[in-house]
Amino acid sequence: MNAVYGLRALMYIAAQRDQEGYVSIRKISEDLDISFHFLTKILQTLTQHHILHSQRGPAGGVALAKAPEQVTLLEMLYILEGEGYFSECFLGLPGCGEQQPCPVHDFWRHITLTMKEKFSHTTLAELSDKVRSGEVRLVSCT
Amino acid sequence: MNAVYGLRALMYIAAQRDQEGYVSIRKISEDLDISFHFLTKILQTLTQHHILHSQRGPAGGVALAKAPEQVTLLEMLYILEGEGYFSECFLGLPGCGEQQPCPVHDFWRHITLTMKEKFSHTTLAELSDKVRSGEVRLVSCT
DNA sequence: ACTTATTCAGACAATTTTGTCTTAAATTTA
DNA sequence: TAAATTTAAGACAAAATTGTCTGAATAAGT
């Protein structure tokens, strides 16, 4: 579920990109109803991968380290869920590949290639714009 | 991982559909290197959903209850992994839908619709044929 | 310097998923 | 009817995932 919380937080942060300064994790956790410490841990990995920049101390928090137009859904997913996200054998068979395919290898490969393509052409900017315009919600309850 | 083991077993069984009688679960578990009791449990759910038919006692085992041409990947997946497989919100937000979409709702909906379509047009027959022809493997090691 | 606010790091706990084992029920053969 | 073989059912255990907590480090303001 890391991706779920990480993506939501990133969209929340990116939706405020016209505001100066850092967004505190405490605030994000309250607004998105995610445990503070848990969210902190997830955002740390995004910081380590230079998607976010962080600042400790009063008025500290996190901020985007890159223009949201240049952060793709694919990139975020790879960081949050691992690079194997689109490349694992559907049947979990180790060593599955072109040489020794499993019965669904070709089938699954086509699907994942298409998905990967789509995920790599959707950016954080697009998604967060929907949040800003209010056409979309980031929290559970109405 | 239920799907992984269940699908593999189904392909294994379907690949032998010209042979008379039942395939014993013990044999499947040995050939596919899956724990016998574990596999038994998974195949039970397939039996309960009338994909397989089972027979106890000597020379008993399981056999396809339907023509493999009429068993789709979608159907198998729904039974093994639940009906929500293609319809859950990517961000896990309860209540996400057309009325109250999340930022990736439309994006994800397009992808899952395409996937669902493809999964519903691939049958157990097609997949098991690949196993029979030997162009494909069902086990881990070479 | 001291206090306060904040992220960082990692140990710890709870939950869920995955896998194993034991016993029961059914079926066949002799 | 007895013995052997096989699936059925469900309790139990192990492992992985998910989530929580405590203390440390850093920075700003007074």
Side-chain angles (χ1 to χ4, degrees):
Chain A
M1 309 295 281
N2 276 11
V4 162
Y5 298 116
L7 287 176
R8 285 213 285 147
L10 281 171
M11 290 175 208
Y12 177 95
I13 296 163
Q16 306 182 16
R17 60 184 180 276
D18 35 345
Q19 262 140 70
E20 284 285 309
Y22 297 96
V23 187
S24 92
I25 299 178
R26 175 71 63 184
K27 180 77 163 54
I28 304 173
S29 77
E30 281 165 3
D31 285 357
L32 298 186
D33 198 32
I34 303 171
S35 145
F36 168 71
H37 292 289
F38 184 39
L39 182 59
T40 293
K41 215 163 51 169
I42 293 168
L43 297 190
Q44 269 169 35
T45 78
L46 289 168
T47 300
Q48 283 153 9
H49 285 85
H50 307 104
I51 298 290
L52 293 176
H53 174 246
S54 71
Q55 176 73 13
R56 297 196 235 197
V62 291
L64 288 181
K66 309 168 71 168
E69 289 81 9
Q70 288 170 358
V71 180
T72 69
L73 205 40
L74 187 71
E75 187 180 1
M76 297 187 276
L77 228 48
Y78 272 5
I79 291 171
L80 293 165
E81 296 287 308
E83 299 272 339
Y85 200 79
F86 289 114
S87 49
E88 270 161 16
C89 171
F90 189 76
L91 296 182
L93 295 177
C96 178
E98 295 304 317
Q99 280 79 36
Q100 299 188 312
C102 77
V104 292
H105 180 81
D106 281 350
F107 173 80
W108 187 234
R109 196 176 123 268
H110 279 94
I111 290 177
T112 52
L113 279 178
T114 311
M115 286 178 72
K116 203 170 157 180
E117 183 74 12
K118 290 191 179 180
F119 275 84
S120 68
H121 284 91
T122 299
T123 67
L124 182 54
E126 294 168 50
L127 297 171
S128 60
D129 281 347
K130 293 192 184 185
V131 177
R132 286 211 278 195
S133 73
E135 66 182 288
V136 125
R137 84 217 157 92
L138 226 30
V139 284
S140 185
C141 193
T142 69
Chain B
M1 306 296 280
N2 275 12
V4 163
Y5 298 116
L7 288 176
R8 285 211 287 147
L10 282 171
M11 289 176 208
Y12 177 95
I13 296 164
Q16 306 183 19
R17 60 182 179 279
D18 34 346
Q19 264 141 71
E20 284 285 309
Y22 297 96
V23 186
S24 93
I25 299 178
R26 174 72 63 186
K27 179 79 162 54
I28 305 173
S29 78
E30 282 164 3
D31 285 357
L32 298 187
D33 198 31
I34 304 172
S35 145
F36 168 71
H37 291 289
F38 184 39
L39 182 59
T40 293
K41 213 162 56 167
I42 293 168
L43 296 190
Q44 271 169 32
T45 78
L46 289 168
T47 300
Q48 285 154 7
H49 285 85
H50 307 105
I51 298 291
L52 293 176
H53 173 244
S54 70
Q55 175 74 12
R56 296 197 236 196
V62 293
L64 288 180
K66 310 168 70 168
E69 290 80 9
Q70 288 169 1
V71 180
T72 67
L73 206 40
L74 187 70
E75 187 180 0
M76 298 187 277
L77 227 47
Y78 272 5
I79 291 171
L80 294 165
E81 296 287 310
E83 299 271 341
Y85 200 80
F86 289 114
S87 48
E88 271 161 15
C89 171
F90 189 76
L91 295 183
L93 295 176
C96 177
E98 294 305 316
Q99 280 79 35
Q100 299 188 312
C102 76
V104 291
H105 180 81
D106 281 350
F107 173 81
W108 187 235
R109 194 175 125 268
H110 278 94
I111 290 177
T112 52
L113 280 179
T114 310
M115 285 178 73
K116 204 169 158 180
E117 181 75 13
K118 291 192 178 181
F119 275 85
S120 68
H121 285 89
T122 299
T123 69
L124 183 52
E126 293 169 50
L127 297 172
S128 60
D129 281 348
K130 292 193 186 185
V131 177
R132 287 210 279 195
S133 74
E135 67 182 285
V136 125
R137 84 216 157 94
L138 227 30
V139 284
S140 185
C141 194
T142 67

